[in-house]
Amino acid sequence: MSETPQPSQQLLPERHPQDDLFICDVADAVLKDVMPQMEHPFYSLSKKPETAVRKYEHNGHWVEITPSVKGLATIYDKDILIYCISQIMAKLSKGEEVSRRVRLNSRDLLVFANRGTAGKDYKALVQAIDRLAGTRISTNIQTGDEEQYDTFGLIDAASIRRKQGNDGRLLWCELKLSEWVFKAFRS
């Protein structure tokens, strides 16, 4: 018999109880090849900036994750990629054209990630985008007697529109997913 956790035992408060804002139920998504990611994590679990290079090797294959000076992308930053993918999947299910470039309403993204929507939360969003753009992944792929070296980021580019004036709030973000991320969930 399991017991329902009391509100004080929950990890995060439910800041935005409206479930209708979700475009795609991420829990229903089939997460292919998740085991290698868990074996060789691309994301930091720490809220403090991690700037050490991580390298994992096995049977002649290796993957190296290099953070920027702002730190490695965190597991919390991954919510941004999940939200982008949910937007693209929603378009695909409607038969609409999709591309690697995704424009997001900043507030909707924060609500999706169960984050606050105060000024500090928008600043944290910009920092998260910087970490995603700065994290680089390099790997070798061996085929027969040849080896190929590939390097890529999680996102290739970002553009953020901000309101002028005292509040300076974010209006929207536009992210260009890396070809690797785009191909990974399309396959």
Side-chain angles (χ1 to χ4, degrees):
M1 182 163 64
S2 67
E3 211 174 275
T4 305
Q6 298 299 317
S8 63
Q9 295 173 326
Q10 294 175 346
L11 294 176
L12 288 174
E14 187 174 357
R15 293 186 180 101
H16 313 283
Q18 301 175 355
D19 291 333
D20 61 338
L21 291 176
F22 290 88
I23 293 184
C24 172
D25 185 357
V26 177
D28 290 340
V30 176
L31 299 176
K32 186 178 178 186
D33 299 328
V34 109
M35 289 306 288
Q37 243 190 63
M38 290 173 18
E39 185 179 348
H40 307 303
F42 292 172
Y43 304 96
S44 168
L45 297 177
S46 175
K47 288 191 175 189
K48 293 180 182 180
E50 284 190 36
T51 56
V53 175
R54 298 175 177 191
K55 187 165 185 174
Y56 306 101
E57 295 182 51
H58 183 70
N59 292 336
H61 300 281
W62 55 265
V63 63
E64 184 176 87
I65 299 103
T66 307
S68 73
V69 295
K70 295 184 177 186
L72 186 66
T74 70
I75 198 70
Y76 305 104
D77 303 341
K78 188 177 181 181
D79 289 343
I80 296 169
L81 290 178
I82 291 170
Y83 186 71
C84 288
I85 291 165
S86 74
Q87 299 293 301
I88 292 171
M89 295 304 290
K91 284 185 174 187
L92 284 173
S93 69
K94 293 177 189 173
E96 296 178 19
E97 206 52 40
V98 296
S99 76
R100 292 174 26 207
R101 192 169 291 277
V102 183
R103 182 172 288 190
L104 310 168
N105 177 296
S106 303
R107 185 181 190 289
D108 290 349
L109 170 57
L110 291 172
V111 169
F112 172 87
N114 197 30
R115 297 183 187 168
T117 55
K120 67 180 177 63
D121 301 302
Y122 288 94
K123 287 178 184 174
L125 176 60
V126 172
Q127 293 168 348
I129 290 170
D130 283 345
R131 285 188 299 273
L132 284 168
T135 298
R136 302 288 305 168
I137 299 154
S138 304
T139 188
N140 71 334
I141 300 167
Q142 295 177 348
T143 309
D145 63 346
E146 293 182 2
E147 180 178 84
Q148 179 176 324
Y149 169 82
D150 285 330
T151 185
F152 48 88
L154 297 170
I155 60 174
D156 284 345
S159 182
I160 299 170
R161 179 68 56 92
R162 185 183 299 277
K163 185 86 171 157
Q164 286 287 75
N166 291 336
D167 68 353
R169 65 190 156 94
L170 296 181
L171 299 174
W172 51 259
C173 303
E174 189 172 275
L175 305 179
K176 183 178 180 186
L177 301 177
S178 73
E179 188 175 338
W180 177 80
V181 170
F182 193 69
K183 282 182 178 179
F185 78 84
R186 291 283 312 251
S187 67

